[in-house]
Amino acid sequence: MQGAFESVKGRPFFVRRWGDPSLPRLLLLHGFPEYGGAWHDVAKSLNQRFHCIAPDQRGFGQSWTPEGVEAYGASHLIDDMVALIGTDAMTGPISVFGHDWGAAIAYGLAMFHPGLVDRLIIANGVHPVPFQRALAAGGAQTTASQYITWLRQPGVEDDLSANGFEKLQQLFATHMDMSWLSGTRLQDYKVEWSRPGRLRAMLNWYRASPLVVATPGQPIAIPPLPLTRLKVPQPHLLLWGDGDTALLPETTQGLEEFAPDLTRITLPGCDHWLHHQKPEEVAQAILDWHP
């Protein structure tokens, strides 16, 4: 693995790469509260087939961290990755793999820039329409997602960073196996979280999102969505850790409506952090599915 700063639209982004650059490209997009190094174990099992590219996304890790909530709107985040794909020496479409918030950007690339993406892989991430439907329904997913409303409040970054990021660790450990985040790996994460302005920027992804979260037990009308534009024309693989308590199965109900060429694979015995808990199984599922 080699990591280096690369210019994306004239801004510095830190990008890790594994595998021969002549191999087919696979863009790996991390979520919250991770960074590009989160893909290390999966990439080790994929780099004989793919040239794996894992950027620290805007506001995360060592990459460019602009001020202001508006800088973290989805269109900006997607355009970053369009530019990164375009700066690569190779031409032609690329496979994209996203997890958590990285899945949102991966879906955006597939839907709004279909000529750039040949295959879409998602691990415990959600398409915007089924997710918004679940958030508006007032049921179990609405309850599970109340943390989004909390994270959007001003000054939450101070609470999350106190006592060595105690609350941040608790936030994404609730009812899930976090044994993978310990020792030197935990210290590496704390280094990334501690960079100036990073935690605020990471939370700005939530603050800039148009997703509407209902109050539990009080369903609301679904905001207008451009349904005809939210189609995934590519072959799509959805990998799912069945113990996820942050994203429940209802968040993917009806996904076939938007992704007609969908393959679902459930990985039992893991949860939202499946790419850390079972990286070899995640990689093998991709290798078996991808031609």
Side-chain angles (χ1 to χ4, degrees):
M1 184 274 291
Q2 293 182 333
F5 285 99
E6 302 184 17
S7 178
V8 177
K9 298 187 296 185
R11 305 293 187 177
F13 278 70
F14 196 81
V15 183
R16 294 166 179 81
R17 294 173 180 265
W18 296 261
D20 193 314
S22 67
L23 292 170
R25 295 175 297 162
L26 176 63
L27 180 64
L28 302 167
L29 299 178
H30 68 82
F32 177 94
E34 302 204 85
Y35 65 107
W39 293 109
H40 180 267
D41 291 343
V42 170
K44 285 195 305 182
S45 297
L46 291 173
N47 66 4
Q48 297 302 308
R49 177 87 71 84
F50 300 101
H51 176 57
C52 298
I53 307 165
D56 291 349
Q57 296 199 74
R58 178 186 296 213
F60 286 82
Q62 300 178 65
S63 287
W64 182 50
T65 303
E67 294 290 332
V69 172
E70 66 281 354
Y72 296 89
S75 62
H76 299 307
L77 306 173
I78 293 168
D79 285 348
D80 288 344
M81 296 303 103
V82 170
L84 177 61
I85 294 170
T87 60
D88 222 307
M90 293 182 64
T91 58
I94 185 172
S95 295
V96 180
F97 181 12
H99 170 257
D100 188 78
W101 264 114
I105 308 309
Y107 272 120
L109 287 169
M111 295 185 298
F112 304 133
H113 300 275
L116 293 180
V117 180
D118 61 0
R119 285 182 172 253
L120 176 65
I121 305 161
I122 299 294
N124 284 69
V126 288
H127 183 284
V129 180
F131 190 40
Q132 180 59 85
R133 288 172 176 169
L135 291 178
Q141 185 60 54
T142 303
T143 299
S145 293
Q146 290 304 298
Y147 72 90
I148 295 176
T149 301
W150 182 66
L151 290 179
R152 287 170 165 171
Q153 296 176 4
V156 169
E157 46 268 40
D158 295 332
D159 293 334
L160 292 175
S161 62
N163 299 318
F165 299 97
E166 181 180 7
K167 284 190 177 180
L168 180 57
Q169 294 178 68
Q170 292 173 350
L171 177 69
F172 73 131
T174 305
H175 307 302
M176 291 191 276
D177 175 17
M178 296 302 298
S179 60
W180 60 270
L181 188 61
S182 60
T184 57
R185 177 177 280 173
L186 177 57
Q187 294 309 310
D188 289 343
Y189 272 73
K190 287 184 177 182
V191 167
E192 303 303 331
W193 298 337
S194 297
R195 297 183 189 278
R198 290 314 189 274
L199 197 50
R200 179 179 296 107
M202 291 158 62
L203 293 171
N204 282 343
W205 282 55
Y206 288 96
R207 294 163 178 156
S209 170
L211 287 169
V212 179
V213 184
T215 299
Q218 301 180 30
I220 58 174
I222 298 173
L225 297 169
L227 299 183
T228 58
R229 296 189 61 211
L230 301 177
K231 305 289 186 180
V232 177
Q234 304 88 348
H236 177 7
L237 173 63
L238 178 65
L239 302 173
W240 203 262
D242 64 357
D244 197 339
T245 60
L247 295 175
L248 307 180
E250 65 188 79
T251 61
T252 73
Q253 289 178 2
L255 180 56
E256 285 79 0
E257 174 187 348
F258 300 93
D261 191 357
L262 176 67
T263 300
R264 295 176 181 258
I265 296 179
T266 298
L267 276 71
C270 51
D271 53 47
H272 189 71
W273 309 106
L274 69 172
H275 56 308
H276 294 293
Q277 295 158 343
K278 294 190 175 182
E280 295 85 3
E281 288 88 339
V282 167
Q284 191 59 53
I286 294 170
L287 294 171
D288 291 344
W289 173 79
H290 201 294

